[in-house]
């Protein structure tokens, strides 16, 4: 009898000690949560709020016995997206949530913990409003940059055409008129020795006319509006081939899908930049431009380059040339892919633009 009572007393003492230790542990845990900069709450499996730290209380107010969906979302029902069961089953869940009440965006880490009462959900609220805001601003800047890059192409194109037209209408016409007058002068009676000079002047004028004509050709793209776009690209390849003495083959695998004038100008300039790069950097023996319905590839068998080095140096696309090709293409809803490695040539594909 005596021994039975002693055993009972020992059991009670042990239970009290464990309870005390648990309470001490919980108090310690709570003091850590209380001091955190992030919001923290503990929820029961029944959506009761067992604890919130001062950060959350400051932002969302006192709990007053409300369930979590009432307290955080002002709802009467369990939130549709709630993963209560998954979390309690041991699967941590992360998501981003914008609170209409605080007008802040939180990154939430929802996980299960063992408390004195069994399993609870521990929810951490990390305020990412500023990060999200900066991300949004950056995205807007990027969008503006893209449309600026595209607009730049159009404006540059217009300017080049207008300079070409100016040269043609003024210098070109004056030179042509001078040549006609000189021809007439040569037919008249002239003092000895003047004819030779006239021939020389005519030769200089011819040179100037040839030079202005090639200037006009270089300045104005083939009229992209009416010429078949593939033909314009072929013309470009021929121009590069003649000027830089690199064999550039052109292949039309399929008729390119119909595109707007603006798109044509942008794609044309992108291909021209890629051909310029081949001339400038590749030391290639040959190059090829291939046209498909929604894809143009420009490849060479030159020295190639290390794309990862380029990314480190200039960001994800390379120097300004490749950067502007990428941005212009994004503006058209498409994208650029680069395959290149040292010694193995380069293949750049422009893909999936909108019309
Ligand atoms: N076809 C190519 N072959 C070899 N290297 C290339 C080729 N195209 C681009 N590159 C490399 O990528 C870099 C970035 O190109 P780009 O963005 O057009 O800038 P930039 O031509 O002004 O240097 C080049 O400096 C060059 O090192
Ligand atoms: Mg370049």
């Amino acid at each position: 009898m005596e021994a039975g009572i002693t055993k009972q007393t020992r059991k009670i003492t042990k239970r009290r000690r464990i309870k005390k230790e648990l309470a001490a542990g919980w108090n310690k845990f709570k003091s850590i949560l209380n001091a955190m900069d992030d919001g923290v709450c503990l929820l029961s499996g029944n959506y009761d709020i067992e604890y919130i730290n001062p950060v959350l209380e400051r932002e969302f107010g006192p709990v007053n016995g409300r369930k979590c969906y009432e307290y955080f979302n002002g709802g009467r029902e369990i939130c549709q997206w709630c993963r209560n069961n998954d979390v309690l089953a041991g699967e941590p869940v992360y998501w981003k949530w914008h609170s209409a009440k605080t007008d802040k965006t939180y990154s939430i880490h929802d996980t299960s913990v063992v408390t004195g009462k069994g399993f609870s959900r521990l929810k951490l609220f990390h305020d990412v409003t500023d990060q999200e805001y900066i991300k949004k601003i950056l995205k807007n800047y990027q969008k503006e940059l893209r449309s600026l890059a595209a607009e730049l192409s159009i404006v540059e194109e217009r300017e080049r055409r207008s300079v070409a037209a100016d040269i043609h209408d003024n210098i070109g016409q004056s030179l042509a008129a001078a040549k006609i007058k000189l021809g007439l002068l040569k037919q008249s009676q002239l003092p000895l020795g003047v004819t030779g000079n006239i021939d020389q002047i005519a030769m200089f004028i011819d040179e100037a006319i040839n030079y202005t004509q090639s200037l006009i050709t270089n300045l104005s793209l083939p009229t992209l509006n009416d010429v078949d776009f593939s033909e314009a690209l072929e013309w470009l390849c021929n121009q590069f081939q003649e000027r830089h003495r690199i064999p550039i083959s052109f292949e039309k695998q399929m008729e390119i899908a119909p595109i707007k004038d603006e798109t044509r100008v942008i794609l044309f300039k992108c291909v021209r930049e890629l051909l310029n790069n081949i001339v400038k950097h590749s030391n290639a023996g040959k190059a090829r431009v291939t046209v498909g319905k929604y894809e143009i590839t420009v490849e060479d068998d030159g020295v190639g380059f290390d794309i990862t080095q380029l990314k480190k140096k200039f960001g994800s696309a390379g120097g300004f040339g490749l950067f502007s090709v990428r941005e212009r293409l994004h503006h058209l809803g498409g994208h650029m892919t680069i395959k290149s490695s040292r010694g193995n040539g380069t293949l750049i594909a422009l893909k999936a633009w909108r019309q």
Side-chain angles (χ1 to χ4, degrees), residues 272-278 280-281 319-325:
R272 189 163 64 189
E273 171 59 30
L274 298 180
L275 289 175
N276 264 326
N277 273 354
I278 292 178
K280 254 166 66 182
H281 309 295
F320 185 70
L322 289 178
F323 167 82
S324 71
V325 171

Side-chain angles (χ1 to χ4, degrees), residues 158-228:
R158 207 179 297 142
E159 281 306 303
R160 285 169 75 110
R161 268 175 209 264
S162 124
V163 172
D166 242 20
I167 293 175
H168 175 266
D169 295 349
N170 296 307
I171 305 176
Q173 303 286 20
S174 302
L175 286 172
K179 203 183 160 191
I180 293 166
K181 287 273 177 209
L182 218 56
L184 292 175
L185 198 64
K186 217 180 140 188
Q187 284 164 18
S188 55
Q189 288 284 325
L190 292 168
L192 225 69
V194 174
T195 326
N197 283 335
I198 287 181
D199 284 342
Q200 257 187 349
I201 295 170
M203 205 177 72
F204 290 142
I205 290 178
D206 275 341
E207 273 176 17
I209 287 174
N210 285 341
Y211 181 70
T212 46
Q213 265 166 0
S214 76
L215 204 60
I216 290 167
T217 317
N218 287 338
L219 278 172
S220 50
L221 303 178
T223 36
L224 288 173
N225 303 343
D226 21 342
V227 179
D228 168 20

Side-chain angles (χ1 to χ4, degrees), residues 9 17 66 94 124 144 197 215 249 270 292 320:
T9 319
R17 187 168 47 82
R66 283 176 289 174
Y94 305 85
L124 291 174
E144 264 174 41
N197 283 335
L215 204 60
S249 59
C270 289
F320 185 70

Side-chain angles (χ1 to χ4, degrees), residues 31-314:
S31 68
I32 296 171
L33 301 184
N34 281 345
M36 277 177 65
D37 290 334
D38 286 339
V40 188
C41 70
L42 275 172
L43 306 175
S44 76
N46 289 329
Y47 311 96
D48 289 317
I49 301 176
E50 296 171 339
Y51 161 83
I52 55 164
N53 76 343
V55 172
L56 278 192
E57 189 156 24
R58 249 194 326 270
E59 302 208 345
F60 292 89
V63 176
N64 293 337
R66 283 176 289 174
K67 299 271 189 192
C68 62
Y69 46 84
E70 296 171 310
Y71 178 65
F72 288 115
N73 292 304
R76 289 166 171 271
E77 309 267 330
I78 300 163
C79 309
Q80 279 173 349
W81 62 86
C82 185
R83 303 261 309 267
N84 193 38
N85 292 341
D86 293 335
V87 176
L88 288 174
E91 187 194 333
V93 179
Y94 305 85
W95 77 94
K96 265 193 198 133
W97 174 63
H98 184 81
S99 160
K101 186 166 181 187
T102 62
D103 197 22
K104 287 183 179 176
T105 305
Y106 302 91
S107 125
I108 294 184
H109 183 180
D110 198 345
T111 186
S112 69
V113 285
V114 186
T115 61
K117 299 174 189 163
F119 282 102
S120 294
R121 275 168 65 193
L122 176 77
K123 258 173 102 171
L124 291 174
F125 292 67
H126 181 62
D127 185 350
V128 290
T129 315
D130 288 348
Q131 283 170 32
E132 291 296 301
Y133 179 65
I134 290 167
K135 251 196 216 163
K136 215 163 132 188
I137 289 188
L138 275 179
K139 232 179 174 171
N140 280 344
Y141 272 134
Q142 202 179 28
K143 217 168 135 194
E144 264 174 41
L145 193 68
R146 276 179 191 152
S147 70
L148 272 178
E151 207 174 299
L152 198 67
S153 292
I154 312 279
V155 172
E156 188 198 327
E157 190 41 44
R158 207 179 297 142
E159 281 306 303
R160 285 169 75 110
R161 268 175 209 264
S162 124
V163 172
D166 242 20
I167 293 175
H168 175 266
D169 295 349
N170 296 307
I171 305 176
Q173 303 286 20
S174 302
L175 286 172
K179 203 183 160 191
I180 293 166
K181 287 273 177 209
L182 218 56
L184 292 175
L185 198 64
K186 217 180 140 188
Q187 284 164 18
S188 55
Q189 288 284 325
L190 292 168
L192 225 69
V194 174
T195 326
N197 283 335
I198 287 181
D199 284 342
Q200 257 187 349
I201 295 170
M203 205 177 72
F204 290 142
I205 290 178
D206 275 341
E207 273 176 17
I209 287 174
N210 285 341
Y211 181 70
T212 46
Q213 265 166 0
S214 76
L215 204 60
I216 290 167
T217 317
N218 287 338
L219 278 172
S220 50
L221 303 178
T223 36
L224 288 173
N225 303 343
D226 21 342
V227 179
D228 168 20
F229 183 53
S230 301
E231 270 175 33
L233 290 178
E234 190 169 11
W235 171 87
L236 185 69
C237 292
N238 291 336
Q239 283 263 314
F240 265 83
Q241 183 166 280
E242 274 169 31
R243 223 180 300 155
H244 304 286
R245 313 215 170 279
I246 297 180
I248 303 177
S249 59
F250 176 82
E251 192 186 334
K252 182 164 87 175
Q253 288 180 338
M254 244 199 216
E255 201 61 63
I256 203 159
I259 38 177
K260 286 196 296 198
D261 292 354
E262 182 200 284
T263 311
R264 252 182 247 139
V265 170
I266 292 172
L267 287 175
F268 188 89
K269 297 210 153 196
C270 289
V271 174
R272 189 163 64 189
E273 171 59 30
L274 298 180
L275 289 175
N276 264 326
N277 273 354
I278 292 178
V279 170
K280 254 166 66 182
H281 309 295
S282 76
N283 201 16
K286 58 183 186 310
R288 181 164 60 172
V289 173
T290 313
V291 170
K293 195 168 179 190
Y294 293 109
E295 179 171 323
I296 300 172
T297 58
V298 179
E299 61 188 301
D300 66 71
D301 64 354
V303 293
F305 61 101
D306 183 349
I307 303 168
T308 53
Q309 285 304 315
L310 203 65
K311 279 183 187 165
K312 272 188 214 150
K313 225 160 127 190
F314 300 106

